[in-house]
């Protein structure tokens, strides 16, 4: 009886003080791509005691943004594609990287196509299947984390599994999952191969680099990158030199945020309770994008 | 296996059910289950060191029986020395070998000599200081004819290895634990329920207090040279609460777990931070160890019933040995020495037994101003001594203290990871107030008349655990290293 009452008390506390993280729902669209269900709102919460609390808003296109994506022939629009760092559920959507870039460049609309776990295959496939929309966009930036985002040479649907889907109706359990209290159970389930299968890691670095390069070439030939209106946002410190040379040789622009991060030794660039960029980190990334456009005068 | 781990969360109910529902008919089988579970509990950490426990168990079992049969003083002494040599030999080798070799080499070179000593790469077996002292007390009590040895090997093995208190105490006396293990236990709902309550309270102290403060303390001690005195005070005070939460939390979980098996362990802590002088502090902090030293070292040396000079010597001996017991480092010896220096004036002015009969707020709801002043002073002195306890080396402790008293400035502390400090202040204020409310019985942390109040307290304590749970910290107990 006490246990049940304690559960109710904690469930109510978590709900009243909104200690739990809201996670917008997914759906599979007609192109067999997972997207967020449009027009959802909620709050991203990090830390046991709501140390970080920021609103998100999923627009009609299914992305977290304060803008609706309506590219025009006349206006100047830039699309930034990427993973959860671009999706930015951990930040106030009104102060996202895109918003920061807009403030630094006049009369430019930034569309952030970010979804968690979105690798380069996802990003390029999205552009490929929405050609008309992206043709109207003046410039496309792909965010690439070298060691995560080049594992595939073509797009296929990655099932998005929700851990303990039924239990997620309880905000207390969502909260406990988020703060890591249920990690030992998850670890054991993983060991017993219930739920996610462990990803096979490629041990050898040289093999890894060759595979990544090959995947990039295949993706490029399959979905095509328009060199003149494309840049890759990456951290050169975390990217293979041969790959960077390849991009340079083939005239593909790169925007490196690694140098800015390296200089910022006194100020952390990531959040405390989460590995995503904090406001300072996002400023650094946005500044690199702004400098890139100003320096290369690509939007004029 | 850690009390605050998922493994233990699974292990405990299995052992509990097997204990009361499968093996309850036979005492021997029930004790065999305790031994098996305890060995599994210990072996989970490192099964190789189980051999030490088994060896220690065998030696003291045999020596105990031999001591009973033997009437000649010489042979009895020989048997006692054999047990002491074996038990302390293991302890000395695993815990103190490197310390003594290094200290000897350093002392020699200080006087201009050159000597080479070889340190060994030795792993300290978890809990060795605890179970060694427990088995020693058994042999010593038999030697002094205070106790009859048990002939039941399984009961003795269960006494030595009883998993709730195997790795960090309370250091039980055979006179208390062995009779309970040697007779049939009957399940009592009240006892099990109070055990569960103690486990919850212990978990709160460990998870919400100790573990949550740990990253802040670690940062302040690690970067002591960069922080002003205000931050260093914060670091020392937080460490005081960290170690209290860690160790008394462990003891509460151990006592609570033992209750689930129908066994009552001795209390190890009685709200030591409400002590009004150092003597009272030592009557309420790590009681099982301080009474062990009192009974097996202090009293045999003459205790207080000898000349003042000798009593002062005895006080120094037990505090220094107590310091050394905690760890093979001069910082612990100095820590013990400081407590001896704080204790001796109380003895000289006959104040060391002043508060035995009347714990703080015994007859009043609130402490008097005088009590409050004494509590604050005692806490301040204990906190200062903790600096030696926590520091990595003597040089580190002197750096810490040096800055504490030289850079007298205030600057708001900001943890590199940005922990919100106000949360911890609120937590500690709640903790102190709550401890004061429950101060009359350390074994009943939820002793409230009204059901609603009781429920609210359970819920708040569980909420505290959840709110301050940090999945990123090392969750092992500080006293495991002793």
């Amino acid at each position: 009886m006490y246990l049940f009452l304690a559960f109710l008390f904690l469930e109510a506390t978590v709900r009243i003080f909104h200690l739990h993280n809201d996670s917008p729902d997914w759906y599979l669209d007609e192109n067999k791509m997972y997207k967020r269900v449009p027009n959802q709102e909620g709050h991203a919460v990090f830390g046991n005691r709501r140390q970080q609390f920021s609103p998100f808003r999923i627009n009609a296109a299914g992305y977290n943004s304060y803008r609706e994506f309506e590219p025009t022939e006349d206006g100047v629009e830039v699309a930034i594609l990427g993973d959860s760092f671009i999706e930015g559920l951990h930040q106030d959507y009104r102060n996202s990287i895109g918003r920061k870039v807009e403030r630094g460049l006049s009369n430019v609309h930034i569309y952030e196509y970010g979804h968690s776990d979105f690798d380069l295959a996802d990003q390029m496939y999205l552009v490929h299947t929405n050609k008309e929309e992206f043709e109207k966009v003046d410039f496309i930036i792909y965010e690439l984390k070298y060691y995560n985002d080049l594992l595939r040479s073509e797009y296929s649907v990655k099932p998005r599994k929700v851990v303990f889907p039924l239990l997620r109706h309880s905000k207390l359990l969502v909260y406990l999952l988020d703060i890591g209290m249920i990690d030992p159970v998850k670890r054991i389930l993983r060991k017993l191969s219930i739920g996610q299968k462990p990803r096979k890691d490629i041990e050898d670095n040289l093999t890894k680099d060759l595979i990544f390069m090959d995947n990039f070439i295949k993706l490029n030939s399959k979905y095509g990158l328009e060199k003149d209106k494309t840049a890759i946002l990456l951290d050169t410190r975390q990217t293979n030199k041969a790959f960077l040379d390849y991009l340079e040789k083939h005239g593909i622009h790169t925007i490196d945020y690694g140098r800015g991060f390296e200089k910022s030794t006194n100020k952390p660039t990531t959040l405390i309770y989460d590995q995503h960029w904090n406001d300072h980190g996002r400023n650094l990334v946005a500044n690199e994008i702004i400098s890139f456009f100003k320096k290369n005068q690509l939007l004029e | 296996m850690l009390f605050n781990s998922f493994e233990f969360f699974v292990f405990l109910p299995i052992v509990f059910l097997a204990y009361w529902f499968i093996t309850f008919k036979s005492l021997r089988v029930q004790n065999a289950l305790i031994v098996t579970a305890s060995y599994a509990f210990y072996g989970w950490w490192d099964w190789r060191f189980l051999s030490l426990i088994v060896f220690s168990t065998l030696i003291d079992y045999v020596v105990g029986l031999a001591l009973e049969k033997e009437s000649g003083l010489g042979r009895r002494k020989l048997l006692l020395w054999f047990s002491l040599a074996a038990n302390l030999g293991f302890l000395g080798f695993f815990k103190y070998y490197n310390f003594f070799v290094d200290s000897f080499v350093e002392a020699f070179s200080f006087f201009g000599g050159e000597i080479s000593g070889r340190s060994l790469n030795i792993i300290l077996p978890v809990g060795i200081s605890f179970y060694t002292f427990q088995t020693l007390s058994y042999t010593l009590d038999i030697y002094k004819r205070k106790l009859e040895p048990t002939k039941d090997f399984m009961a003795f093995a269960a006494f030595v290895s009883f998993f709730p208190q195997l790795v960090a105490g309370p250091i039980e006396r055979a006179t208390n634990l062995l009779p309970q293990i040697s007779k049939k236990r009957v399940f009592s709902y009240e006892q099990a329920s109070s055990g569960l309550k103690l486990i919850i309270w212990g978990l709160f102290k460990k998870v919400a207090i100790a573990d949550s403060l740990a990253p802040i303390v670690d940062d302040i001690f690690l970067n002591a040279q960069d922080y002003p005195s205000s931050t260093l005070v914060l670091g020392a005070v937080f460490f005081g609460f960290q170690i209290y939460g860690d160790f008394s939390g462990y003891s509460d979980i151990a006592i609570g777990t033992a209750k689930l098996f129908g066994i009552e362990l001795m209390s190890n802590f009685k709200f030591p931070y409400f002590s009004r002088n150092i003597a009272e502090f030592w009557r309420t902090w790590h009681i099982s160890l301080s009474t062990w030293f009192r009974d097996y070292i202090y009293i045999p040396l003459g205790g207080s019933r000898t000349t003042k000079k000798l009593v002062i010597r005895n006080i120094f001996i037990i505090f220094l040995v107590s310091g050394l017991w905690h760890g093979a480092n001069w910082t612990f010896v100095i820590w013990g020495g400081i407590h001896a220096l704080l204790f001796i004036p109380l003895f000289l002015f006959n104040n060391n037994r002043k508060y035995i009969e009347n714990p703080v707020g015994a007859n009043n709801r609130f402490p008097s101003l005088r009590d409050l002043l004494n509590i604050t002073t005692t806490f301040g002195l204990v906190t200062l001594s903790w600096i030696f306890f926590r520091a990595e080396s003597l040089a580190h402790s002197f750096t810490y203290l040096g800055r504490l008293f030289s850079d007298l400035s205030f600057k708001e502390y900001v943890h590199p990871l940005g922990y919100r400090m106000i949360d911890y202040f609120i937590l500690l204020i709640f903790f102190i107030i709550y401890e004061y409310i429950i101060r009359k019985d350390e074994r009943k942390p939820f002793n409230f008349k009204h059901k609603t109040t009781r429920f609210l307290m359970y819920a708040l304590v569980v909420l505290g655990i959840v709110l301050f749970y940090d999945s990123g910290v090392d969750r092992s107990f500080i006293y495991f290293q002793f």
Side-chain angles (χ1 to χ4, degrees), chain A residues 2 5-6 9-10 13 19 48-51 172 175-176 179-181 183-185 187-188 268 272-273, chain B residues 6 207 416-420 423-424 451 454-456 458-460 462-463 465-471 475:
Chain A
Y2 269 139
L5 284 176
F9 173 84
L10 292 175
T13 310
L19 298 174
N48 303 29
R49 301 179 297 281
R50 225 177 83 161
Q51 285 95 328
L172 173 63
Y175 169 65
L176 294 180
I179 63 170
M181 247 183 171
D183 283 355
V185 184
R187 268 197 297 275
I188 287 174
I272 313 168
Y273 299 92
Chain B
F6 179 70
V207 177
L417 289 177
Y419 290 122
R420 200 167 54 200
D423 295 5
Y424 300 93
K451 267 189 177 176
R454 217 161 48 226
F455 167 71
L456 205 65
Y458 296 143
L460 281 176
V462 174
L463 183 66
I465 293 174
V466 172
L467 285 178
F468 285 88
Y469 172 81
D470 188 342
S471 59
R475 287 174 294 132

Side-chain angles (χ1 to χ4, degrees), chain B residues 332-437:
Chain B
F332 293 111
V333 180
I334 300 274
W335 171 76
I338 290 171
H339 278 272
L341 287 174
L342 295 171
F343 189 91
I344 285 164
L346 294 173
F347 165 73
L348 292 175
F349 292 102
N350 219 12
N351 276 338
N352 56 322
R353 302 177 68 78
K354 193 175 172 185
Y355 299 116
I356 282 186
E357 301 298 333
N358 59 333
V360 68
N363 305 312
N364 303 310
R365 184 168 286 186
F366 299 106
S368 65
L369 268 179
R370 193 189 172 89
D371 280 349
L372 213 55
L373 189 69
N374 287 338
I375 288 170
T376 313
T377 310
T378 308
F379 180 74
L381 293 170
V382 170
T383 301
L384 269 182
S385 74
W386 284 135
I387 293 170
F388 284 94
F389 197 94
R390 173 60 180 77
E392 304 293 333
S393 63
L394 278 182
H396 184 203
S397 29
F398 287 126
T399 305
Y400 198 103
L401 280 169
R403 280 196 68 82
L404 183 68
F405 290 110
S406 61
D407 184 9
L408 296 173
S409 57
F410 176 83
K411 202 177 161 197
E412 191 190 350
Y413 170 69
V414 181
H415 188 275
L417 289 177
Y419 290 122
R420 200 167 54 200
M421 295 306 293
I422 187 76
D423 295 5
Y424 300 93
F425 296 130
I426 293 170
L427 171 75
L428 288 183
I429 289 169
F430 166 80
F431 180 59
I432 294 166
I433 293 172
Y434 192 79
E435 283 248 296
Y436 187 77
I437 293 169

Side-chain angles (χ1 to χ4, degrees), chain B residues 79-336:
Chain B
L79 283 166
L80 177 67
W81 278 107
F82 174 68
S83 164
L84 289 174
N87 284 304
L88 294 177
F90 281 137
L91 184 63
F93 175 73
F94 283 103
K95 191 163 176 176
Y96 300 108
Y97 175 83
N98 283 340
F99 170 68
F100 283 121
V101 167
D102 294 344
S103 300
F104 189 69
V105 170
E106 273 173 36
F108 221 76
S109 61
F110 182 76
F111 291 108
E114 262 193 42
I115 189 171
S116 68
R118 242 180 91 190
S119 295
L120 300 176
N121 192 13
I122 302 170
I123 303 170
L124 179 67
V126 167
I128 190 167
S129 311
F130 291 91
Y131 67 74
T132 300
F133 270 41
Q134 189 153 310
T135 54
L136 276 180
S137 77
Y138 172 77
T139 311
L140 286 164
D141 282 350
I142 295 171
Y143 177 76
K144 286 193 262 174
R145 299 207 186 276
K146 283 184 183 170
L147 178 77
E148 282 192 7
T150 177
K151 292 183 175 66
D152 182 348
F153 178 73
M154 202 51 82
F156 183 69
F159 157 71
V160 176
S161 65
F162 188 46
F163 72 88
Q165 45 86 243
L166 172 62
V167 288
I171 302 166
E172 275 299 327
R173 305 299 173 73
T175 45
N176 176 44
L177 185 54
L178 202 49
Q180 295 186 67
I181 285 180
S182 304
K183 72 171 190 220
K184 192 165 171 59
R185 275 85 64 182
V186 180
F187 180 77
S188 147
Y189 173 79
E190 284 70 31
Q191 192 182 28
S193 152
S194 74
L196 279 176
K197 287 171 193 168
L198 264 177
I199 291 174
I200 292 173
W201 182 234
L203 274 175
F204 173 82
K205 286 194 211 172
K206 169 63 180 161
V207 177
I209 304 289
D211 287 352
S212 76
L213 295 177
I216 298 163
V217 172
D218 289 349
D219 171 60
I220 296 176
F221 272 83
L222 186 68
N223 303 301
Q225 70 284 354
D226 302 327
Y227 285 126
S229 57
S230 59
T231 301
L232 299 181
V233 169
L234 185 80
V237 170
F238 273 21
F239 178 67
F241 282 102
Q242 183 197 350
I243 193 154
Y244 173 59
D246 195 278
F247 194 23
S248 73
Y250 182 93
S251 298
D252 285 347
I253 300 171
I255 295 165
T257 307
K259 276 172 178 281
L260 292 179
F261 295 90
I263 286 170
E264 291 292 332
L265 299 179
M266 68 185 294
S267 290
N268 220 10
F269 290 86
K270 290 185 179 179
F271 311 105
Y273 286 156
F274 296 135
S275 304
R276 285 152 294 179
N277 62 29
I278 290 295
E280 193 182 13
F281 175 79
W282 277 104
R283 278 196 300 274
T284 52
W285 177 276
H286 203 176
I287 301 164
S288 65
L289 181 73
S290 46
T291 51
W292 197 100
F293 281 125
R294 182 196 65 200
D295 294 346
Y296 298 107
I297 298 181
Y298 185 69
I299 291 173
L301 284 171
S304 313
R305 293 177 182 172
T306 178
T307 62
K308 277 202 169 166
K309 250 188 194 174
L310 284 178
V311 175
I312 290 171
R313 181 205 67 177
N314 296 345
I315 292 170
F316 258 112
I317 287 174
I318 57 156
F319 276 109
L320 293 178
V321 171
S322 166
L324 203 56
W325 177 90
H326 281 87
N329 194 327
W330 287 108
T331 51
F332 293 111
V333 180
I334 300 274
W335 171 76

